[in-house]
Amino acid sequence: MADELLLGVIADLSGLGHSYGVSIVQGAEMAVRDINAAGGVNGRQVKLVVADDASNPARSAIEMRQLIASQVTLIVGGWGSSQVLANMDVAEEAGVPYIVVGATSPMITNLANRWTFRVIPSDSVMAEQLASIVTERLKMTRIAIINDSNAYGAGNRDVFIAALAQLGVVPVAVQSYRTADKEFSAQLANIRAANPDGIAIFGTVPAAPAIMNQARALGIGARFVGTGGLANDALISLAPTASQGAVLMTFFNEEVDEESRLWAERYKKEFANRQEPPRPVLAAWEYRAIRDIAAPCLAASGPDMVTLRDCLAKWKGTLFGVMGAAYFDDMQQLAQPPLVVEVKDGTFRLFRESD
């Protein structure tokens, strides 16, 4: 319909990252319902156009082209660094604003980009913060690393090792695996021989919880740590015992403020009866990116893409669940304070200084 405003969402709904992709789409659905219930954007109702890239970079670029061909005004989504690195070039070439909510490679935001923005912290920020946490707050001295060999896992690993070196720490073991692997006994045997007190896992579900379960089965008692890729409720459901005590960087936690708690309650209730259980971490970012960042700029810019892009670049403000002011820096990366959680009593709890 001519009076509709089309908003694109690209995410994995059928591949290895589907648990993340489904939550991204759910966050978008919830945001659009709220925006439309309040009258839409300048009286225009917002309609979602959803693309499934199945965690495949080549397919992701194709799906992005199809989204743009459907005349979307803006794209909010993207999961997996490999996929986003493939599809963002399409958005850049087409001149369509793209807000990334689910990929953390430092290469995604750079000074050459004009149309790509990101609202979650990059690997370089999270891995550096994690190095400080494990050495200074957790007092770990023997740290092992196991990482996915993809862009996300290798990027985290490299930044983490460099940050540890600045703190005078060298990992006692470094192992890698492929995203679709299910058996990790060889890597874990090498890690067990190194006798670590901490194991950094740089990867995502479903491999990460399998690693945790297999490590515990081999008698490895080291504490797990990681960056945002592990902050998925599926980690706890797939490794309910092994994940306990894990300390992770994350993108959202409902304990931050009352608005976060109320939003999470509403989100979980809305999507309680879906095939995939509601997972609020990336859903919250998709929701906030659409309702609190994109929608105001869409209302202010009208149909002009350049004006919309410039509005996004200048955006700054407060968001529920973010402890302090947020704004886009010169590389169009949203600057924000870090957020750290611990798996405790079957859920993600804020990791506090007194813990």
Side-chain angles (χ1 to χ4, degrees), residues 167-179:
L167 298 167
V169 176
V170 177
V172 296
V174 180
Q175 299 288 309
S176 65
Y177 63 90
R178 293 169 298 183
T179 305

Side-chain angles (χ1 to χ4, degrees), residues 4-207:
E4 290 181 328
L5 193 158
L6 301 183
L7 189 151
V9 178
I10 187 167
D12 175 11
L13 299 177
S14 60
L16 289 172
H18 72 276
S19 64
Y20 302 87
V22 167
S23 68
I24 287 173
V25 173
Q26 289 174 343
E29 291 173 352
M30 188 173 175
V32 167
R33 279 197 296 272
D34 287 354
I35 291 168
N36 287 341
V41 175
N42 293 339
R44 299 175 68 189
Q45 293 286 284
V46 179
K47 179 181 178 181
L48 288 179
V49 182
V50 178
D52 172 19
D53 67 13
S55 285
N56 182 293
R59 174 171 168 176
S60 197
I62 293 170
E63 293 291 339
M64 179 65 86
R65 289 189 184 95
Q66 292 178 346
L67 269 185
I68 291 170
S70 70
Q71 301 297 305
V72 296
T73 303
L74 175 75
I75 299 161
V76 185
W79 182 82
S81 292
S82 297
Q83 291 77 258
V84 171
L85 288 168
N87 68 40
M88 62 183 272
D89 289 340
V90 179
E92 287 287 326
E93 291 170 6
V96 176
Y98 179 23
I99 302 177
V100 177
V101 305
T104 53
S105 169
M107 293 185 288
I108 290 169
T109 46
N110 60 72
L111 292 172
N113 286 347
R114 300 184 66 214
W115 299 93
T116 304
F117 300 80
R118 178 169 54 193
V119 293
I120 61 174
S122 73
D123 295 339
S124 57
V125 170
M126 289 189 293
E128 287 176 1
Q129 292 168 341
L130 184 65
S132 176
I133 290 167
V134 299
T135 56
E136 297 173 8
R137 293 175 63 179
L138 299 179
K139 308 300 182 185
M140 293 177 178
T141 58
R142 299 184 60 81
I143 302 164
I145 298 169
I146 182 167
N147 66 277
D148 194 320
S149 58
N150 65 10
Y152 171 75
N156 269 278
R157 175 201 63 205
D158 293 346
V159 174
F160 185 66
I161 289 174
L164 287 178
Q166 292 293 317
L167 298 167
V169 176
V170 177
V172 296
V174 180
Q175 299 288 309
S176 65
Y177 63 90
R178 293 169 298 183
T179 305
D181 286 350
K182 297 180 180 179
E183 174 59 48
F184 308 94
S185 57
Q187 297 96 320
L188 291 171
N190 288 326
I191 288 175
R192 181 176 61 183
N195 191 32
D197 53 10
I199 300 175
I201 303 177
F202 297 124
T204 57
V205 172

Side-chain angles (χ1 to χ4, degrees), residues 151-314:
Y152 171 75
N156 269 278
R157 175 201 63 205
D158 293 346
V159 174
F160 185 66
I161 289 174
L164 287 178
Q166 292 293 317
L167 298 167
V169 176
V170 177
V172 296
V174 180
Q175 299 288 309
S176 65
Y177 63 90
R178 293 169 298 183
T179 305
D181 286 350
K182 297 180 180 179
E183 174 59 48
F184 308 94
S185 57
Q187 297 96 320
L188 291 171
N190 288 326
I191 288 175
R192 181 176 61 183
N195 191 32
D197 53 10
I199 300 175
I201 303 177
F202 297 124
T204 57
V205 172
I211 290 168
M212 290 180 171
N213 288 329
Q214 291 176 33
R216 294 295 185 251
L218 288 172
I220 299 173
R223 193 173 195 173
F224 297 112
V225 299
T227 47
L230 302 190
N232 181 326
D233 289 312
L235 180 82
I236 299 175
S237 63
L238 294 173
T241 301
S243 65
Q244 293 303 298
V247 174
L248 312 171
M249 310 302 299
T250 192
F251 311 122
F252 174 77
N253 186 271
E254 58 199 74
E255 294 182 353
V256 171
D257 52 43
E258 182 66 5
E259 188 175 357
S260 296
R261 185 186 67 79
L262 293 173
W263 178 88
E265 285 182 358
R266 184 163 68 94
Y267 164 71
K268 291 174 183 177
K269 184 177 180 180
E270 275 197 41
F271 296 98
N273 297 320
R274 302 292 181 95
Q275 184 175 358
E276 286 282 340
R279 301 181 175 105
V281 174
L282 290 184
W285 264 121
E286 181 77 4
Y287 180 92
R288 291 175 293 186
I290 293 173
R291 190 196 71 171
D292 299 331
I293 299 175
C297 281
L298 286 166
S301 67
D304 186 73
M305 291 288 199
V306 174
T307 305
L308 173 58
R309 179 199 65 195
D310 292 346
C311 179
L312 293 172
K314 295 174 183 177

Side-chain angles (χ1 to χ4, degrees), residues 168 170 207 289 315 332 335:
V170 177
W315 185 92
Q332 301 177 160

